[in-house]
């Protein structure tokens, strides 16, 4: 009895202690939020712009006292907005004295903390109070339709940056963070390959995401300053005549042999992928899109079935002299210009006008693709390749990467289409602040459409295709959007003819969460249901059928239980399997959460439906008959086994990729997002709760029938 009392006291003390800690944590967090809001209100009453802009002006105003300016530094740090970074860095000396009178000097200690927080440092309590701050969107719209050059004075290629700035009459900045103050639409970054480090590129990606500002950025570099200057000189030579797609086996896109496809003029002529054919296609190409597989120093193929040889790769020494081709390679780690024999650098050295690729390895296919249609071909003067890349960069952070990782060698203002690839026949304002645009295009591919003044609209719908909100939680492969300045840029697949776009300032009520639920169920019940490749699923449907047969034989033969005693279990499992099948058939052509193709045979769908029935029925039988909690838990795990495998796989797989660098060769830890895990978990939790509720119903004693 004494032991039990002591245990109760310990648990109570722990509970009280945890409660006090959480209360202190919450009060501290909301006090910080209140103080930040007060600082913002005081600053915006005196200075122009949003909170960040006003606080920066307050800091720069030497007429203010040191305490007031130090409070502004503290508030800027708490806000964590990277737009404040240049101003904070101007005051930081790195020399932090033991004591700093807050009324007598600018605090170097506060500056150090603020710089860390605005550079992506962790703020453990900000998530509690930041959502309650007034929304400041005006600053995100202030983008100048101009170009700036960025280069560090110590860089060996700085003289080239000066030449570019002088010849084009452009402003020259030393650090990329300085761009945040001017907010241009285009940025030319000039740097020697050894200065294009992973840390620097990831820092640029962090600026994009935290400031929600994605200017078109192109990097001018080369193995020598002369090669870099030649790259800049080719900025007006790109065109889209001879166009190709190439890559290794891609089961998720139904490509079952290493293939090159000549897509010039819609011909779609297939060519066997080998080194000789690839070199010849590159020699002729004006545009080449390559996927699966790549690395920092090579493109390779025949990896899928272990047939790879030295001849199944393209390295720097194999690249021929090129036309001013655009090379688009959105796959594993090709953008490493600092490494020896870099494939990216070799392409531009050999004459390419642009090379686009990822810094690190994505864990899923995130490239927008519609058959043999790929992005970039319909880029035009007001929607250049630099913006095409940024549209995709922003969307990739909703599915694969934690930070934007698609970078471009070449001038960001390059485009391939001389004319705008579509015609607008109507553009009208409707009731409730909506706007309707009707257009047409001869393009059969990924269409690049710029909507002037479209950034004010947070919701966009294309008739017959899909709808998106700027605040959607998950990826939409059918429609990519980017707000830059007051304009909206969109990419979407188009089969030629008319298109109708409707814009609204806000999404319909409840859209964000309902769309997330549709995405989750589409991902689990349509895209991944019958896949044995994307998440290495070990045929859970067939395994479930075997388990169910074993359970049924044991119950009927060994325990002598009549099948009729499980009639309700069978009825529910059958109904659930029918619902799953109906959902799959209704959504298989309209899902938007993944670029993976879904086209399973009738036999596989039938086996999958039987597998769903077997999982649910087998799990509920175990839960219903067992008296042990752990056995009931095993039954529940069997019932949700497909979703459990998927969620567990992504948790382990993505964590391994994020923490064990030799697996992928990623430049830093924790570069990949867990969005596919969240998609899986939503459905896993739903199914677990549903099946537990059904079990409770089945386990409840039936009321006797009155005599």
């Amino acid at each position: 009895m004494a032991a039990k009392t002591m245990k109760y006291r310990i648990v109570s003390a722990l509970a009280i202690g945890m409660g006090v800690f959480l209360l202190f944590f919450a009060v501290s967090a909301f006090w910080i939020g209140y103080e930040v809001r007060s600082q913002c209100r005081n600053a915006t009453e005196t200075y122009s712009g949003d909170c960040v802009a006003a606080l920066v002006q307050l800091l720069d105003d030497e007429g203010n006292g040191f305490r007031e300016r130090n409070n502004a530094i503290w508030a800027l740090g708490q806000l964590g907005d990277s737009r404040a970074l240049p101003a904070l860095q101007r005051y930081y000396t790195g020399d932090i004295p033991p004591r700093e009178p807050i009324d007598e000097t600018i605090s170097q200690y506060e500056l150090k903390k603020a710089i860390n927080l605005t550079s992506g440092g962790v703020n453990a309590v900000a998530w509690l109070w930041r959502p309650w701050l007034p929304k400041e969107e005006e600053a995100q719209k202030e983008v100048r339709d101009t170009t700036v050059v960025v280069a560090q004075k110590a860089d060996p290629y700085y003289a080239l940056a000066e030449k570019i700035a002088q010849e084009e009459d452009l402003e020259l900045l030393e650090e990329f963070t300085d761009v945040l103050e001017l907010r241009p639409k285009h940025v030319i970054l000039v740097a020697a390959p050894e200065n294009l480090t992973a840390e620097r590129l990831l820092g640029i990606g962090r600026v994009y995401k935290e400031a929600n500002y994605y200017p078109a950025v192109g990097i001018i570099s080369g193995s020598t300053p002369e090669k870099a200057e030649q790259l800049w000189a080719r900025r007006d030579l790109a065109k889209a005549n001879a166009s190709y797609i190439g890559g290794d086996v891609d089961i998720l896109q139904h490509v079952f042999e290493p293939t090159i496809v000549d897509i010039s003029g819609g011909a779609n002529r297939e060519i066997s992928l080998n080194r000789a054919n690839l070199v010849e296609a590159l020699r002729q190409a004006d545009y080449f899109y390559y996927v699966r597989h790549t690395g920092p120093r090579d493109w390779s193929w025949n990896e899928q079935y272990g047939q790879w040889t030295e001849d199944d790769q393209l390295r720097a020494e194999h690249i021929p002299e090129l036309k001013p081709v655009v090379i688009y390679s959105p796959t594993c780690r090709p953008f490493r210009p600092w490494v020896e024999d870099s494939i990216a650098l070799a392409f531009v050295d050999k004459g390419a006008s642009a090379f686009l690729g990822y810094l690190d390895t994505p864990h899923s296919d995130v490239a927008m693709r519609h058959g043999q249609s790929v992005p970039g071909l319909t880029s035009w003067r007001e929607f250049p390749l630099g913006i095409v890349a940024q549209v995709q960069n922003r969307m990739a952070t909703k599915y694969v990467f934690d930070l934007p990782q698609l970078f471009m060698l070449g001038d960001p203002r390059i485009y391939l289409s001389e004319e705008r690839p579509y015609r607008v026949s109507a553009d009208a304002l409707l009731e409730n602040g909506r706007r309707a645009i009707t257009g047409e295009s001869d393009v059969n591919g990924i269409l690049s459409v710029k909507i002037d003044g479209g950034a004010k609209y947070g919701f966009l719908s294309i008739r017959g295709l899909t709808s998106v909100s700027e605040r959607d939680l998950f990826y939409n492969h059918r429609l990519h959007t980017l707000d830059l300045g007051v304009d909206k840029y969109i990419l979407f697949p188009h089969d030629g003819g008319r298109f109708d776009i409707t814009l609204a300032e806000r999404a319909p009520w409840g859209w964000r969460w309902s769309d997330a639920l549709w995405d989750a169920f589409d991902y689990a019940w349509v895209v991944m249901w019958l896949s044995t490749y994307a998440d290495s699923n070990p045929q859970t449907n067939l395994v479930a059928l075997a388990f169910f047969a074993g359970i049924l034989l044991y119950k009927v033969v060994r325990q002598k239980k009549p099948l009729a005693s499980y009639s309700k279990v069978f009825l529910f499992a059958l109904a659930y399997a029918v619902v799953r099948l109906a959902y799959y058939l209704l959504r298989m052509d309209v899902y938007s959460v993944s670029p993976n193709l879904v086209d399973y045979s009738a036999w596989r769908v039938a086996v999958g439906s039987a597998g769903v029935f077997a999982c649910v029925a087998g799990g509920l039988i175990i839960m219903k008959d067992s008296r042990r909690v752990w056995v009931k838990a095993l039954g529940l795990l069997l019932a949700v086994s497909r979703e459990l495998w998927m969620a567990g796989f992504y948790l382990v797989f993505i964590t391994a990729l994020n923490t064990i660098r030799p697996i992928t060769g990623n430049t830093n830890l924790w570069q990949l997002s867990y969005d596919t895990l969240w998609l899986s978990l939503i459905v896993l939790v739903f199914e677990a709760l549903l099946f537990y509720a059904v079990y409770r119903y089945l386990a409840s004693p039936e009321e006797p029938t009155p005599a």
Side-chain angles (χ1 to χ4, degrees), residues 669-690:
L669 304 179
W670 303 107
Q671 295 303 308
L672 301 176
S673 76
Y674 283 89
D675 284 348
T676 48
L677 170 62
W678 304 132
L679 287 166
S680 308
L681 279 176
I682 289 171
V683 179
L684 175 61
V685 171
F686 167 80
E687 289 192 352
L689 292 175
L690 173 64

Side-chain angles (χ1 to χ4, degrees), residues 464-535:
L465 184 66
T466 191
S467 301
V468 298
S469 162
E470 295 300 335
R471 299 178 67 242
D472 283 353
L473 295 175
F474 298 120
Y475 175 83
N476 188 317
H477 87 94
R478 294 172 180 263
L479 179 55
H480 291 186
T481 69
L482 173 69
D483 292 342
L484 186 60
V486 298
D487 303 319
K488 187 181 292 288
Y489 298 83
I490 64 174
L491 298 172
F492 63 93
H494 184 59
D495 294 327
R498 172 173 168 165
F499 59 85
D500 294 280
I501 300 172
T502 302
L503 300 107
E505 292 186 4
R506 294 178 179 82
W509 185 86
W511 167 269
R512 191 183 193 201
W513 302 108
S514 63
D515 178 67
L517 289 175
W518 280 114
D519 285 342
F521 283 96
D522 285 350
Y523 194 71
W525 287 4
V526 179
V527 177
M528 302 297 293
W529 176 31
L530 302 174
S531 174
T532 58
Y533 176 77
D535 66 345

Side-chain angles (χ1 to χ4, degrees), residues 254-325:
H254 295 178
V255 178
F256 301 107
E257 296 289 341
T259 306
I260 302 169
V261 183
D262 181 352
I263 60 173
S264 307
N268 292 351
R269 179 173 63 93
E270 293 190 0
I271 306 166
S272 177
L273 174 56
N274 56 53
R275 185 188 292 165
N277 287 345
L278 179 56
V279 167
E280 183 57 29
L282 286 168
R283 186 179 284 116
Q284 298 177 14
D286 295 298
Y287 175 92
F288 202 105
Y289 187 96
Y290 189 88
V291 291
R292 298 178 61 87
H293 293 89
T294 64
R297 298 176 177 85
D298 60 57
W299 287 356
S300 56
W301 52 94
N302 273 333
E303 293 193 6
Q304 187 66 33
Y305 302 110
Q307 301 170 345
W308 183 84
T309 69
E310 283 294 323
D311 292 329
D312 293 323
Q313 66 174 186
L314 181 85
R315 298 180 68 88
E317 63 265 25
H318 305 137
I319 298 174
E321 292 298 324
L322 303 170
K323 296 158 67 174
V325 59

